[in-house]
Amino acid sequence: MTSAKMESATPVVPKWRAVLLDFVERAGWSAGQVFLATLLAGGVGAVIDLPWRYSLTLATGAFVSSLLLTAVQYLSRLTNLAFWPDLLVRLAKTFLSSLAGSTAAGVFDVTTFDWESALNVAFLATVASLGKGLLAREPAAPNGQVPPGASPSTLPTGTYREAVDHAPAPPTIEATNPPDGTSVPDGQPGVVLGEPGGPRPAPGDPA
């Protein structure tokens, strides 16, 4: 596993850029998996006989479909998921993106559409997506459990969490500081006796 995947979950890029990278990562992998699955579905043969053009067409359709499905997922606020639910959602999206790419490769007619080939490509692409997700996660803990910060994304952990997390950013130190020129009320816990803003010692008491 690369060191980028092992880095802290601290955000490393702005929110908008992290979301953009997440869209590209998901769509890019979907396109690549569909492209490879289409070539494999055609069987082993001479390189010149492989369906390169058809594979590129399906991959492009899968890329666009993945972008649309990811947008729906973000709008539904269903992005900040644990590892296994996240992986299952990605598998379903890959399967649907592959079918969408197959239908976009030509004029869709339910009576003539080659469902068997389309389903074969979608199945192979989904298996490839499963392998990618399992390889991208952090190594499992000794007890076999998946670490809390693990994800099926190949983005750095901090970038991915910044993209999918919906929680507001924590306040900065400057935002939590009291305004300049204000004194702390007398008797507030944490004020040192005898200091400005704190109660004075009683007469006769040691300072």
Side-chain angles (χ1 to χ4, degrees):
M1 190 60 60
T2 61
S3 58
K5 189 67 179 175
M6 298 292 293
E7 69 183 45
S8 171
T10 304
V12 293
V13 296
K15 180 75 172 182
W16 67 268
R17 187 178 178 187
V19 172
L20 178 62
L21 291 174
D22 187 39
F23 268 74
V24 174
E25 193 267 350
R26 295 173 190 255
W29 275 105
S30 293
Q33 289 153 2
V34 170
F35 179 80
L36 180 61
T38 307
L39 293 179
L40 294 177
V44 179
V47 174
I48 194 173
D49 295 329
L50 292 175
W52 296 104
R53 184 175 180 179
Y54 186 69
S55 299
L56 287 172
T57 303
L58 263 65
T60 302
F63 185 90
V64 175
S65 299
S66 178
L67 290 178
L68 295 177
L69 291 173
T70 302
V72 172
Q73 188 177 356
Y74 267 87
L75 291 175
S76 304
R77 302 179 71 84
L78 296 175
T79 54
N80 194 7
L81 303 173
F83 176 81
W84 290 112
D86 195 353
L87 181 58
L88 290 176
V89 169
R90 287 170 181 265
L91 296 180
K93 287 171 55 183
T94 299
F95 187 86
L96 294 175
S97 297
S98 178
L99 286 181
S102 295
T103 59
V107 178
F108 181 76
D109 186 344
V110 70
T111 61
T112 60
F113 185 70
D114 191 352
W115 285 103
E116 183 178 357
S117 296
L119 291 173
N120 285 340
V121 171
F123 174 76
L124 291 174
T126 304
V127 172
S129 179
L130 174 62
K132 170 258 181 181
L134 293 177
L135 291 174
R137 71 172 182 172
E138 301 283 352
N143 58 3
Q145 296 181 351
V146 178
S151 78
S153 174
T154 53
L155 290 176
T157 302
T159 302
Y160 182 67
R161 291 302 168 195
E162 174 69 3
V164 301
D165 190 10
H166 301 298
T172 61
I173 297 178
E174 290 75 12
T176 58
N177 287 337
D180 295 337
T182 59
S183 60
V184 180
D186 291 345
Q188 179 172 324
V191 177
V192 180
L193 293 178
E195 294 294 330
R200 296 292 180 179
D205 290 346

